[in-house]
Amino acid sequence: EGAGSGFIIDTDGHILTNYHVIEGAQRIDVTLNDSVVLTAKVVGSDARNDIALLWVDPSAEQLIPVQLGESTNLLVGQRAIAIGNPFGQFDRTLTTGVISALNRTIQGQDGRTITGIIQTDASINRGNSGGPLLDSSGRVIGINSAIFSPTGVNAGVGFAVPIDTVKRLLPDLLQLGYYRHPWLGVRYAYTVDSWLAEALDLPVDKGVLLVQFLRNSPLEASGALGAQQEVIVQNQQVYSGGDIITAIDGKAVASWDEIDTLLENNYQVGDTVKVTIWRDSQPMELDVQLAEEPN
């Protein structure tokens, strides 16, 4: 048994909350602000971004949706308002504060990072998860998702998933029940640093050296090459001879995490990206159509 918060986004009965609020639940009850309790169904979810979309029968009660704002142009210092159900027993609690920082990174429910996170000092505690973070006009700018606290209670550092991230996920959650994450299809790769560049005599000292692709990989289909041989460097087995990715659509990348974040935040399945690689000491570009990451 657990408790969290959420908010109605349309008159069709859709409600947004955090994935970790409903994870593993066999039954979900939603209590509205007039104490009416409705049974909810999970329409879609995305563990990586900690988002879940619920549905309740709209004919059972008059549903008043919130207005979704934008998170792209937020500024540190502007007003932030959190509404939620702290500790599962103080429903309809409103707290105020400011946006303390932008573009923070937290760990998602699948162990991978969520970027672009909003940090606020508005009081957020257990049970606030899934509730809205609002601007001074009452528009939703984020979903309250986590806190940083040595004691487990509010210490003035709360985190919210930006609403623009949620908007990007919503069409897939509504239609498919899950979000299609864009995918290049790499099984294994090295982050190129000065040591690796010197050891393998690479033409660049930053980038991602491709080693092995997954089956039906978009990169492999575009003509990219993985490792061609094994060498021993300082008693270590190292794979070499693969292409080195240095940029995507002209944006420099220096690690696989940077590639993953760039694709996740800026592209969708079906988009074609121009991948800059180095092969045999020469730069070249590959057009790669992003596929859906397999589960």
Side-chain angles (χ1 to χ4, degrees):
E1 183 176 347
S5 305
F7 51 97
I8 299 165
I9 61 170
D10 57 34
T11 54
D12 293 329
H14 292 108
I15 296 171
L16 279 170
T17 187
N18 282 141
Y19 172 77
H20 75 261
V21 169
I22 58 91
E23 182 181 11
Q26 295 179 327
R27 175 189 172 100
I28 302 171
D29 290 331
V30 172
T31 303
L32 303 182
N33 63 354
D34 56 3
S35 299
V36 170
V37 179
L38 303 176
T39 299
K41 297 180 180 179
V42 178
V43 173
S45 63
D46 183 66
R48 183 178 308 178
N49 290 288
D50 199 15
I51 302 298
L53 182 66
L54 311 181
W55 178 84
V56 295
D57 186 353
S59 64
E61 184 75 7
Q62 182 182 9
L63 302 178
I64 303 174
V66 296
Q67 181 181 354
L68 302 184
E70 296 181 352
S71 50
T72 302
N73 299 317
L74 296 177
L75 298 172
V76 172
Q78 77 178 72
R79 177 64 63 87
I81 302 165
I83 298 178
N85 179 32
F87 306 108
Q89 55 184 318
F90 301 107
D91 59 329
R92 290 169 289 174
T93 293
L94 182 149
T95 56
T96 63
V98 297
I99 294 175
S100 307
L102 296 167
N103 296 317
R104 295 298 197 201
T105 299
I106 62 174
Q107 189 176 67
Q109 295 301 298
D110 66 350
R112 296 163 79 167
T113 57
I114 311 175
T115 60
I117 294 295
I118 303 166
Q119 180 183 329
T120 179
D121 67 349
S123 183
I124 297 173
N125 290 287
R126 288 183 295 106
N128 276 100
S129 290
L133 186 69
L134 312 171
D135 63 16
S136 56
S137 298
R139 296 169 299 202
V140 181
I141 55 175
I143 299 182
N144 300 318
S145 298
I147 62 171
F148 176 81
S149 171
T151 62
V153 296
N154 180 264
V157 182
F159 301 107
V161 177
I163 199 63
D164 287 354
T165 297
V166 180
K167 288 178 178 178
R168 188 179 76 244
L169 272 59
L170 268 178
D172 273 4
L173 296 185
L174 284 165
Q175 296 174 22
L176 304 173
Y178 66 96
Y179 180 66
R180 298 172 299 161
H181 296 276
W183 181 69
L184 284 173
V186 175
R187 181 190 295 276
Y188 190 51
Y190 294 137
T191 295
V192 175
D193 55 18
S194 57
W195 178 87
L196 190 66
E198 182 178 355
L200 298 180
D201 192 24
L202 301 178
V204 294
D205 59 6
K206 286 185 179 180
V208 176
L209 174 62
L210 301 176
V211 175
Q212 188 178 25
F213 302 110
L214 288 162
R215 192 172 183 179
N216 300 320
S217 161
L219 262 178
E220 189 174 39
S222 72
L225 298 178
Q228 303 298 304
Q229 58 185 334
E230 300 177 20
V231 296
I232 303 298
V233 179
Q234 296 179 5
N235 296 321
Q236 294 185 49
Q237 179 179 288
V238 180
Y239 298 97
S240 66
D243 293 336
I244 304 170
I245 299 177
T246 57
I248 294 178
D249 279 347
K251 297 172 182 142
V253 290
S255 69
W256 190 255
D257 282 344
E258 289 186 13
I259 292 176
D260 197 33
T261 298
L262 181 65
L263 295 180
E264 179 72 15
N265 292 343
N266 298 278
Y267 299 95
Q268 294 181 313
V269 171
D271 289 347
T272 297
V273 296
K274 197 171 290 294
V275 179
T276 302
I277 64 169
W278 283 75
R279 180 186 298 172
D280 298 329
S281 300
Q282 296 294 325
M284 58 186 296
E285 292 184 337
L286 301 174
D287 290 326
V288 183
Q289 186 176 41
L290 300 174
E292 178 183 337
E293 182 180 59
N295 293 329

